[in-house]
mmCIF file with all atom_site columns, all heavy atoms in Angstrom:
data_model
loop_
_atom_site.group_PDB
_atom_site.id
_atom_site.type_symbol
_atom_site.label_atom_id
_atom_site.label_alt_id
_atom_site.label_comp_id
_atom_site.label_asym_id
_atom_site.label_entity_id
_atom_site.label_seq_id
_atom_site.pdbx_PDB_ins_code
_atom_site.Cartn_x
_atom_site.Cartn_y
_atom_site.Cartn_z
_atom_site.occupancy
_atom_site.B_iso_or_equiv
_atom_site.pdbx_formal_charge
_atom_site.auth_seq_id
_atom_site.auth_comp_id
_atom_site.auth_asym_id
_atom_site.auth_atom_id
_atom_site.pdbx_PDB_model_num
ATOM 1   N N   . ILE D 1 48 ? -12.372 -1.124 0.625   1.00 0.00 ? 48 ILE D N   1
ATOM 2   C CA  . ILE D 1 48 ? -13.366 -0.745 -0.364  1.00 0.00 ? 48 ILE D CA  1
ATOM 3   C C   . ILE D 1 48 ? -12.762 0.110  -1.300  1.00 0.00 ? 48 ILE D C   1
ATOM 4   O O   . ILE D 1 48 ? -11.695 0.801  -1.238  1.00 0.00 ? 48 ILE D O   1
ATOM 5   C CB  . ILE D 1 48 ? -14.451 -0.040 0.417   1.00 0.00 ? 48 ILE D CB  1
ATOM 6   C CG1 . ILE D 1 48 ? -15.731 0.104  -0.360  1.00 0.00 ? 48 ILE D CG1 1
ATOM 7   C CG2 . ILE D 1 48 ? -14.007 1.351  1.000   1.00 0.00 ? 48 ILE D CG2 1
ATOM 8   C CD1 . ILE D 1 48 ? -16.948 0.574  0.355   1.00 0.00 ? 48 ILE D CD1 1
ATOM 9   N N   . SER D 1 49 ? -13.294 0.042  -2.528  1.00 0.00 ? 49 SER D N   1
ATOM 10  C CA  . SER D 1 49 ? -12.796 0.814  -3.651  1.00 0.00 ? 49 SER D CA  1
ATOM 11  C C   . SER D 1 49 ? -13.914 1.486  -4.376  1.00 0.00 ? 49 SER D C   1
ATOM 12  O O   . SER D 1 49 ? -15.131 1.174  -4.173  1.00 0.00 ? 49 SER D O   1
ATOM 13  C CB  . SER D 1 49 ? -11.984 -0.091 -4.601  1.00 0.00 ? 49 SER D CB  1
ATOM 14  O OG  . SER D 1 49 ? -12.943 -1.015 -5.132  1.00 0.00 ? 49 SER D OG  1
ATOM 15  N N   . ILE D 1 50 ? -13.634 2.455  -5.218  1.00 0.00 ? 50 ILE D N   1
ATOM 16  C CA  . ILE D 1 50 ? -14.603 3.114  -6.032  1.00 0.00 ? 50 ILE D CA  1
ATOM 17  C C   . ILE D 1 50 ? -13.935 3.565  -7.373  1.00 0.00 ? 50 ILE D C   1
ATOM 18  O O   . ILE D 1 50 ? -12.825 4.026  -7.346  1.00 0.00 ? 50 ILE D O   1
ATOM 19  C CB  . ILE D 1 50 ? -15.240 4.361  -5.273  1.00 0.00 ? 50 ILE D CB  1
ATOM 20  C CG1 . ILE D 1 50 ? -16.385 4.872  -6.021  1.00 0.00 ? 50 ILE D CG1 1
ATOM 21  C CG2 . ILE D 1 50 ? -14.211 5.361  -5.018  1.00 0.00 ? 50 ILE D CG2 1
ATOM 22  C CD1 . ILE D 1 50 ? -17.240 5.781  -5.284  1.00 0.00 ? 50 ILE D CD1 1
ATOM 23  N N   . SER D 1 51 ? -14.719 3.308  -8.396  1.00 0.00 ? 51 SER D N   1
ATOM 24  C CA  . SER D 1 51 ? -14.299 3.818  -9.697  1.00 0.00 ? 51 SER D CA  1
ATOM 25  C C   . SER D 1 51 ? -14.771 5.172  -9.940  1.00 0.00 ? 51 SER D C   1
ATOM 26  O O   . SER D 1 51 ? -15.879 5.623  -9.343  1.00 0.00 ? 51 SER D O   1
ATOM 27  C CB  . SER D 1 51 ? -14.834 2.866  -10.801 1.00 0.00 ? 51 SER D CB  1
ATOM 28  O OG  . SER D 1 51 ? -14.725 3.356  -12.019 1.00 0.00 ? 51 SER D OG  1
ATOM 29  N N   . SER D 1 52 ? -14.138 5.860  -10.781 1.00 0.00 ? 52 SER D N   1
ATOM 30  C CA  . SER D 1 52 ? -14.510 7.330  -11.042 1.00 0.00 ? 52 SER D CA  1
ATOM 31  C C   . SER D 1 52 ? -15.832 7.428  -11.762 1.00 0.00 ? 52 SER D C   1
ATOM 32  O O   . SER D 1 52 ? -16.386 8.588  -11.783 1.00 0.00 ? 52 SER D O   1
ATOM 33  C CB  . SER D 1 52 ? -13.415 8.058  -11.896 1.00 0.00 ? 52 SER D CB  1
ATOM 34  O OG  . SER D 1 52 ? -13.281 7.453  -13.140 1.00 0.00 ? 52 SER D OG  1
ATOM 35  N N   . ILE D 1 53 ? -16.466 6.362  -12.270 1.00 0.00 ? 53 ILE D N   1
ATOM 36  C CA  . ILE D 1 53 ? -17.765 6.498  -12.874 1.00 0.00 ? 53 ILE D CA  1
ATOM 37  C C   . ILE D 1 53 ? -18.857 6.475  -11.899 1.00 0.00 ? 53 ILE D C   1
ATOM 38  O O   . ILE D 1 53 ? -20.011 6.668  -12.178 1.00 0.00 ? 53 ILE D O   1
ATOM 39  C CB  . ILE D 1 53 ? -18.008 5.339  -13.927 1.00 0.00 ? 53 ILE D CB  1
ATOM 40  C CG1 . ILE D 1 53 ? -17.870 3.941  -13.186 1.00 0.00 ? 53 ILE D CG1 1
ATOM 41  C CG2 . ILE D 1 53 ? -16.971 5.445  -15.041 1.00 0.00 ? 53 ILE D CG2 1
ATOM 42  C CD1 . ILE D 1 53 ? -18.303 2.854  -14.104 1.00 0.00 ? 53 ILE D CD1 1
ATOM 43  N N   . LYS D 1 54 ? -18.525 6.214  -10.607 1.00 0.00 ? 54 LYS D N   1
ATOM 44  C CA  . LYS D 1 54 ? -19.443 6.227  -9.573  1.00 0.00 ? 54 LYS D CA  1
ATOM 45  C C   . LYS D 1 54 ? -19.079 7.421  -8.594  1.00 0.00 ? 54 LYS D C   1
ATOM 46  O O   . LYS D 1 54 ? -17.980 7.931  -8.528  1.00 0.00 ? 54 LYS D O   1
ATOM 47  C CB  . LYS D 1 54 ? -19.406 4.871  -8.774  1.00 0.00 ? 54 LYS D CB  1
ATOM 48  C CG  . LYS D 1 54 ? -19.843 3.746  -9.483  1.00 0.00 ? 54 LYS D CG  1
ATOM 49  C CD  . LYS D 1 54 ? -19.863 2.427  -8.602  1.00 0.00 ? 54 LYS D CD  1
ATOM 50  C CE  . LYS D 1 54 ? -20.387 1.209  -9.371  1.00 0.00 ? 54 LYS D CE  1
ATOM 51  N NZ  . LYS D 1 54 ? -20.404 0.040  -8.590  1.00 0.00 ? 54 LYS D NZ  1
ATOM 52  N N   . ASP D 1 55 ? -20.167 7.679  -7.716  1.00 0.00 ? 55 ASP D N   1
ATOM 53  C CA  . ASP D 1 55 ? -19.935 8.669  -6.659  1.00 0.00 ? 55 ASP D CA  1
ATOM 54  C C   . ASP D 1 55 ? -20.104 8.150  -5.285  1.00 0.00 ? 55 ASP D C   1
ATOM 55  O O   . ASP D 1 55 ? -19.864 8.713  -4.278  1.00 0.00 ? 55 ASP D O   1
ATOM 56  C CB  . ASP D 1 55 ? -20.836 9.919  -6.858  1.00 0.00 ? 55 ASP D CB  1
ATOM 57  C CG  . ASP D 1 55 ? -22.232 9.590  -6.970  1.00 0.00 ? 55 ASP D CG  1
ATOM 58  O OD1 . ASP D 1 55 ? -22.675 8.408  -6.542  1.00 0.00 ? 55 ASP D OD1 1
ATOM 59  O OD2 . ASP D 1 55 ? -23.027 10.382 -7.478  1.00 0.00 ? 55 ASP D OD2 1
ATOM 60  N N   . LYS D 1 56 ? -20.524 6.803  -5.263  1.00 0.00 ? 56 LYS D N   1
ATOM 61  C CA  . LYS D 1 56 ? -20.719 6.238  -3.893  1.00 0.00 ? 56 LYS D CA  1
ATOM 62  C C   . LYS D 1 56 ? -20.571 4.672  -4.078  1.00 0.00 ? 56 LYS D C   1
ATOM 63  O O   . LYS D 1 56 ? -21.126 4.092  -5.030  1.00 0.00 ? 56 LYS D O   1
ATOM 64  C CB  . LYS D 1 56 ? -22.109 6.569  -3.389  1.00 0.00 ? 56 LYS D CB  1
ATOM 65  C CG  . LYS D 1 56 ? -22.526 5.870  -2.141  1.00 0.00 ? 56 LYS D CG  1
ATOM 66  C CD  . LYS D 1 56 ? -23.908 6.307  -1.672  1.00 0.00 ? 56 LYS D CD  1
ATOM 67  C CE  . LYS D 1 56 ? -24.387 5.535  -0.465  1.00 0.00 ? 56 LYS D CE  1
ATOM 68  N NZ  . LYS D 1 56 ? -25.838 5.959  -0.095  1.00 0.00 ? 56 LYS D NZ  1
ATOM 69  N N   . ASN D 1 57 ? -19.962 4.064  -3.066  1.00 0.00 ? 57 ASN D N   1
ATOM 70  C CA  . ASN D 1 57 ? -19.854 2.633  -2.986  1.00 0.00 ? 57 ASN D CA  1
ATOM 71  C C   . ASN D 1 57 ? -20.054 2.210  -1.583  1.00 0.00 ? 57 ASN D C   1
ATOM 72  O O   . ASN D 1 57 ? -19.372 2.806  -0.673  1.00 0.00 ? 57 ASN D O   1
ATOM 73  C CB  . ASN D 1 57 ? -18.584 2.073  -3.597  1.00 0.00 ? 57 ASN D CB  1
ATOM 74  C CG  . ASN D 1 57 ? -18.716 0.601  -3.826  1.00 0.00 ? 57 ASN D CG  1
ATOM 75  O OD1 . ASN D 1 57 ? -19.755 -0.012 -3.873  1.00 0.00 ? 57 ASN D OD1 1
ATOM 76  N ND2 . ASN D 1 57 ? -17.426 -0.058 -3.823  1.00 0.00 ? 57 ASN D ND2 1
ATOM 77  N N   . GLU D 1 58 ? -20.863 1.227  -1.296  1.00 0.00 ? 58 GLU D N   1
ATOM 78  C CA  . GLU D 1 58 ? -21.236 0.870  0.073   1.00 0.00 ? 58 GLU D CA  1
ATOM 79  C C   . GLU D 1 58 ? -20.873 -0.642 0.205   1.00 0.00 ? 58 GLU D C   1
ATOM 80  O O   . GLU D 1 58 ? -21.173 -1.494 -0.598  1.00 0.00 ? 58 GLU D O   1
ATOM 81  C CB  . GLU D 1 58 ? -22.594 1.107  0.322   1.00 0.00 ? 58 GLU D CB  1
ATOM 82  C CG  . GLU D 1 58 ? -23.137 1.023  1.802   1.00 0.00 ? 58 GLU D CG  1
ATOM 83  C CD  . GLU D 1 58 ? -24.516 1.655  1.935   1.00 0.00 ? 58 GLU D CD  1
ATOM 84  O OE1 . GLU D 1 58 ? -25.100 2.049  0.878   1.00 0.00 ? 58 GLU D OE1 1
ATOM 85  O OE2 . GLU D 1 58 ? -25.065 1.515  3.055   1.00 0.00 ? 58 GLU D OE2 1
ATOM 86  N N   . ASP D 1 59 ? -20.371 -0.933 1.351   1.00 0.00 ? 59 ASP D N   1
ATOM 87  C CA  . ASP D 1 59 ? -20.069 -2.383 1.709   1.00 0.00 ? 59 ASP D CA  1
ATOM 88  C C   . ASP D 1 59 ? -20.205 -2.525 3.207   1.00 0.00 ? 59 ASP D C   1
ATOM 89  O O   . ASP D 1 59 ? -19.258 -2.204 4.033   1.00 0.00 ? 59 ASP D O   1
ATOM 90  C CB  . ASP D 1 59 ? -18.693 -2.813 1.269   1.00 0.00 ? 59 ASP D CB  1
ATOM 91  C CG  . ASP D 1 59 ? -18.477 -4.273 1.536   1.00 0.00 ? 59 ASP D CG  1
ATOM 92  O OD1 . ASP D 1 59 ? -19.321 -5.033 2.046   1.00 0.00 ? 59 ASP D OD1 1
ATOM 93  O OD2 . ASP D 1 59 ? -17.289 -4.737 1.224   1.00 0.00 ? 59 ASP D OD2 1
ATOM 94  N N   . GLY D 1 60 ? -21.415 -2.983 3.727   1.00 0.00 ? 60 GLY D N   1
ATOM 95  C CA  . GLY D 1 60 ? -21.639 -3.180 5.139   1.00 0.00 ? 60 GLY D CA  1
ATOM 96  C C   . GLY D 1 60 ? -21.508 -1.813 5.861   1.00 0.00 ? 60 GLY D C   1
ATOM 97  O O   . GLY D 1 60 ? -22.228 -0.856 5.500   1.00 0.00 ? 60 GLY D O   1
ATOM 98  N N   . ARG D 1 61 ? -20.740 -1.686 6.825   1.00 0.00 ? 61 ARG D N   1
ATOM 99  C CA  . ARG D 1 61 ? -20.531 -0.459 7.575   1.00 0.00 ? 61 ARG D CA  1
ATOM 100 C C   . ARG D 1 61 ? -19.681 0.571  6.906   1.00 0.00 ? 61 ARG D C   1
ATOM 101 O O   . ARG D 1 61 ? -19.613 1.732  7.337   1.00 0.00 ? 61 ARG D O   1
ATOM 102 C CB  . ARG D 1 61 ? -19.853 -0.815 8.972   1.00 0.00 ? 61 ARG D CB  1
ATOM 103 C CG  . ARG D 1 61 ? -20.691 -1.727 9.895   1.00 0.00 ? 61 ARG D CG  1
ATOM 104 C CD  . ARG D 1 61 ? -20.121 -1.889 11.274  1.00 0.00 ? 61 ARG D CD  1
ATOM 105 N NE  . ARG D 1 61 ? -18.721 -2.485 11.212  1.00 0.00 ? 61 ARG D NE  1
ATOM 106 C CZ  . ARG D 1 61 ? -17.658 -1.938 11.487  1.00 0.00 ? 61 ARG D CZ  1
ATOM 107 N NH1 . ARG D 1 61 ? -17.630 -0.645 12.000  1.00 0.00 ? 61 ARG D NH1 1
ATOM 108 N NH2 . ARG D 1 61 ? -16.451 -2.538 11.469  1.00 0.00 ? 61 ARG D NH2 1
ATOM 109 N N   . PHE D 1 62 ? -19.119 0.262  5.769   1.00 0.00 ? 62 PHE D N   1
ATOM 110 C CA  . PHE D 1 62 ? -18.120 1.170  5.025   1.00 0.00 ? 62 PHE D CA  1
ATOM 111 C C   . PHE D 1 62 ? -18.791 1.629  3.831   1.00 0.00 ? 62 PHE D C   1
ATOM 112 O O   . PHE D 1 62 ? -19.359 0.956  3.010   1.00 0.00 ? 62 PHE D O   1
ATOM 113 C CB  . PHE D 1 62 ? -16.920 0.417  4.722   1.00 0.00 ? 62 PHE D CB  1
ATOM 114 C CG  . PHE D 1 62 ? -16.175 -0.181 5.871   1.00 0.00 ? 62 PHE D CG  1
ATOM 115 C CD1 . PHE D 1 62 ? -16.378 -1.513 6.261   1.00 0.00 ? 62 PHE D CD1 1
ATOM 116 C CD2 . PHE D 1 62 ? -15.347 0.565  6.684   1.00 0.00 ? 62 PHE D CD2 1
ATOM 117 C CE1 . PHE D 1 62 ? -15.799 -2.040 7.413   1.00 0.00 ? 62 PHE D CE1 1
ATOM 118 C CE2 . PHE D 1 62 ? -14.543 0.061  7.760   1.00 0.00 ? 62 PHE D CE2 1
ATOM 119 C CZ  . PHE D 1 62 ? -14.882 -1.247 8.108   1.00 0.00 ? 62 PHE D CZ  1
#
Side-chain angles (χ1 to χ4, degrees):
Chain D
I48 192 168
S49 63
I50 188 167
S51 163
S52 61
I53 62 173
K54 295 185 174 182
D55 54 18
K56 177 183 175 182
N57 189 24
E58 193 171 353
D59 183 0
R61 297 186 297 115
F62 302 93

